[in-house]
Amino acid sequence: MDAAPFLAYLDRGRALVERWIEKNAWASAEGGRVSRDLDRYLYAPLEHFNEGGGKRVRPVLSLLGCEAVGGEAGRALAAGCAIELFQSAALVHDDIADEGTMRRGEPCLHVSEGVGLAINVGDAALVQASEAILADGALDASARVAAMCEFIAMERRTLEGQALDLGWVRDRRWDLAPDDYLAMATLKTAHYSCATPLVIGAICGGGTAGQVEALRSFGLDAGLAFQIRDDLLNLTGDAAEQGKDFRSDITEGKRTLAALAALARLDGAGRAELESILSADTGDEPALARAVELMEASGALAYADACARGLVESAVGTISEADIAQDARTTLVSMAHYFIERAR
């Protein structure tokens, strides 16, 4: 399937998102030294981090969800950007939890500003996100409330998924199955990366309950496929493109679908060896390569790829039968296939 329709839509939508984020940056209402200090310790770091985002897929999906139900894309712009602001908060906080050092080619915010100020900037992004929805004059009160309810539910699910991801690593849990990964990744990634942006966009566009739920179902399948593909690229993608992050999931002992499937399939010695590498916090390249070799030999990499492709097939089937605009359907199908065919 040609990725061009989705990539073209993404390029057009990204420009709208960038303008909104620039226009709605927070600034101090105080004066004198207090104002300068607030800019230095809060508003400038927040603005810089928000402006350094990547492809802006989440807010663009809100625009697409709005158009899918016959709405004008601009009605979903503020609510979609709220999800991008949530992403900023999540990244700032994740970098602290994961003890990261670099983000978007720069030192992580907690490295450059200190942990306390970084936490505060992340918290500010969450407040800014809620404000973006509640202050949106393009929506009536009922639409703002409905969008806010979806947004809060997304926040909770993401926190639940993050709790599982972090807790499993902290407690060295290997008594897990592939289904546990699928539940965790759905909570942590699929809702906020794909399903909720589409759903909030559809709400902003006045979509029916049937349209909203069709987009949610599509988004959950496509979003989960995206995450599985992302995990596989970390293991088998282009090392030069990924740089220091290549095979970092092994170093960090991430409970990915491929890792859990391999552990379930390997015999005693093979399982013990793979579990040992995943638990060693090692960046040794031969050890990382050996872990991938074990996953490959067990059939786990092929299994994970097949799972992602099956999810995309399900997503495409859902959206093909949904009552949505044809142009949006074409773009969504293109996006779903791009998610599993992308090389980075």
Side-chain angles (χ1 to χ4, degrees):
M1 175 68 187
D2 187 5
F6 170 65
L7 294 177
Y9 190 92
L10 185 59
D11 281 341
R12 294 194 301 272
R14 186 188 298 120
L16 297 176
V17 171
E18 299 288 358
R19 285 197 294 271
W20 188 96
I21 289 175
E22 181 180 359
K23 180 180 177 181
N24 290 277
W26 276 1
S28 173
E30 304 294 332
R33 180 181 298 173
V34 170
S35 181
R36 291 193 299 273
D37 286 350
L38 282 173
D39 284 339
R40 169 65 187 86
Y41 299 133
L42 179 60
Y43 295 122
L46 175 62
E47 180 180 5
H48 181 71
F49 197 88
N50 285 338
E51 288 181 344
K55 296 177 181 178
R56 309 294 194 189
V57 172
R58 295 167 186 84
V60 171
L61 286 183
S62 288
L63 306 183
L64 182 56
C66 188
E67 292 186 336
V69 301
E72 191 276 316
R75 290 179 56 81
L77 183 57
C81 287
I83 301 173
E84 188 73 2
L85 296 171
F86 172 80
Q87 162 79 343
S88 290
L91 292 177
V92 171
H93 291 157
D94 282 359
D95 286 340
I96 296 170
D98 296 339
E99 300 180 347
T101 58
M102 298 293 292
R103 169 68 64 183
R104 297 170 177 168
E106 299 180 355
C108 292
L109 203 59
H110 69 274
V111 174
S112 62
E113 300 293 338
V115 172
L117 285 176
I119 291 173
N120 201 52
V121 169
D123 291 346
L126 292 175
V127 175
Q128 189 182 21
S130 297
E131 181 183 272
I133 296 173
L134 294 176
D136 185 6
L139 304 177
D140 61 28
S142 62
R144 289 197 300 271
V145 169
M148 195 67 201
C149 287
E150 287 287 345
F151 183 79
I152 291 170
M154 174 203 74
E155 290 181 302
R156 177 176 175 175
R157 290 175 181 126
T158 306
L159 293 172
E160 290 173 340
Q162 176 75 335
L164 293 173
D165 196 21
L166 292 173
W168 289 342
V169 172
R170 187 199 70 178
D171 292 347
R172 299 183 176 275
R173 293 278 304 280
W174 294 113
D175 59 329
L176 303 167
D179 282 349
D180 296 310
Y181 166 89
L182 295 173
M184 178 276 292
T186 297
L187 289 168
K188 181 177 177 178
T189 303
H191 282 283
Y192 102 92
S193 287
C194 197
T196 300
L198 289 169
V199 164
I200 285 181
I203 289 171
C204 293
T208 66
Q211 290 173 318
V212 167
E213 292 312 310
L215 288 167
R216 188 192 309 278
S217 178
F218 169 88
L220 288 174
D221 283 341
L224 186 53
F226 177 91
Q227 184 59 55
I228 295 170
R229 177 62 175 164
D230 206 51
D231 294 343
L232 287 171
L233 286 173
N234 185 269
L235 298 173
T236 63
D238 188 304
E241 293 240 348
Q242 297 201 39
K244 68 178 183 62
D245 289 330
F246 187 55
R247 295 180 173 169
S248 60
D249 284 354
I250 301 172
T251 302
E252 296 170 15
K254 291 288 187 180
R255 275 61 175 167
T256 61
L257 183 60
L260 293 178
L263 290 170
R265 292 161 176 246
L266 289 167
D267 60 21
R271 178 188 170 96
E273 183 182 4
L274 179 57
E275 186 175 320
S276 176
I277 296 171
L278 290 168
S279 301
D281 191 27
T282 181
D284 178 66
E285 290 187 9
L288 301 181
R290 176 57 179 162
V292 174
E293 181 182 311
L294 288 165
M295 294 182 201
E296 174 72 31
S298 72
L301 298 181
Y303 164 78
D305 181 69
C307 184
R309 292 180 184 280
L311 286 163
V312 165
E313 184 178 343
S314 175
V316 170
T318 296
I319 213 65
S320 297
E321 298 176 358
D323 177 25
I324 63 169
Q326 182 57 48
D327 285 351
R329 190 193 325 275
T330 299
T331 303
L332 287 165
V333 171
S334 170
M335 179 195 79
H337 287 287
Y338 167 75
F339 277 3
I340 57 166
E341 300 298 344
R342 64 199 174 92
R344 54 180 300 178

